[in-house]
Structure formats: C-alpha cells, structure tokens
Amino acid sequence: MSVRTDTPRWIASILSWPGLLPLSRIALVSAFLIGGVQKLADFPAAIAEQAHFGLEPAWLWAAAAVLIELGGSMLVIFGRFVWLGAGGLGVLTAVAMLAANDFWTKSGHDRFMVLNAFFEHLGLIAGLVLVSVLSLRKQGASMQ
C-alpha cells in the first residue's frame, strides 16, 4: 500500500538526501559556533558584551556562553545528547532574547527592529526543539 503525500516527488527526493540532516544541523548552530569562537578569541569583549546587557557576573556569563555555544553546537552536529546541546542553546538564546531584545521598552523604528529580532530568536529556539524531536524519533526507531 502506498502512502499519499502532498509533497511533490522531487521535493521528497531532496528531503530524503542523506546529507541534508547533517548539513541542516550545522546550519542551525552556525551562529552559535561563530559566536563561541569569537568570544573565545576575544574574551574581554565577551565579558563586556555580557556586562552591557546587565548579566552579572559578566565573566561567568561569558564563560558559560562560550561553553554552551561551542559544546552545545558539537552535540547537535554530531547527534549525541542532542536534547542537552539544543536545550542549552535554547536556554542561552532565551536569556539573550529577553536581555537584548526588550521591544516592550522601545518605540517607533527601534521597536520594530527589536521586535523582529525577538521573534527571530524565538524561531531559532523552535528549530532547536525540532532538531531534538527528530533526534528522539530517530532513537525511538532504532530502539524498536
């Protein structure tokens, strides 16, 4: 019996390509990888960034950001403890989203820009949730 789908065959072929999921995982965490490397390369600037957003002690927040951005990204990319890596990145993103995108204090064009960034971060968190769901489903399929 064949399964009916609304996805065109050529799209299904692209989505079935074995390399798509690993490349998508890398793309999903790419901003975290770049951010973690930049923070590590210029740790004083990373501390200043955390202090700018009122996160104290700034050195601890900067160290946690580097660890979570690099470590969490590696877990997501390599598909090991994805829930932990994506969860850490999601929490870090939520903290950043609330600290840096305070649209409720803005007006006019500034409010528009910050509100947009807020929801972009929310979308990124949703992507991290989805990669965790996919990982769990893959594990469930291999455990049966």
Side-chain angles (χ1 to χ4, degrees), residues 113-134:
M113 296 299 291
V114 173
L115 182 67
N116 189 52
F118 182 91
F119 282 100
E120 286 174 352
H121 283 88
L122 187 61
L124 180 55
I125 292 169
L128 293 164
V129 170
L130 289 173
V131 78
S132 297
V133 169
L134 286 173

Side-chain angles (χ1 to χ4, degrees), residues 45-114:
I47 294 170
E49 177 187 39
Q50 302 306 313
H52 171 76
F53 291 114
L55 300 172
E56 294 293 340
W59 68 268
L60 183 59
W61 280 96
V66 170
L67 178 67
I68 293 167
E69 286 181 335
L70 296 178
S73 294
M74 291 297 111
L75 292 174
V76 170
I77 289 170
F78 292 112
R80 307 296 295 171
F81 299 97
V82 174
W83 63 271
L84 180 61
L89 293 169
V91 169
L92 182 69
T93 301
V95 169
M97 181 174 81
L98 293 170
N101 299 306
D102 55 345
F103 64 89
W104 53 90
T105 67
K106 310 286 186 206
S107 63
H109 182 71
D110 288 342
R111 184 176 196 281
F112 173 81
M113 296 299 291
V114 173

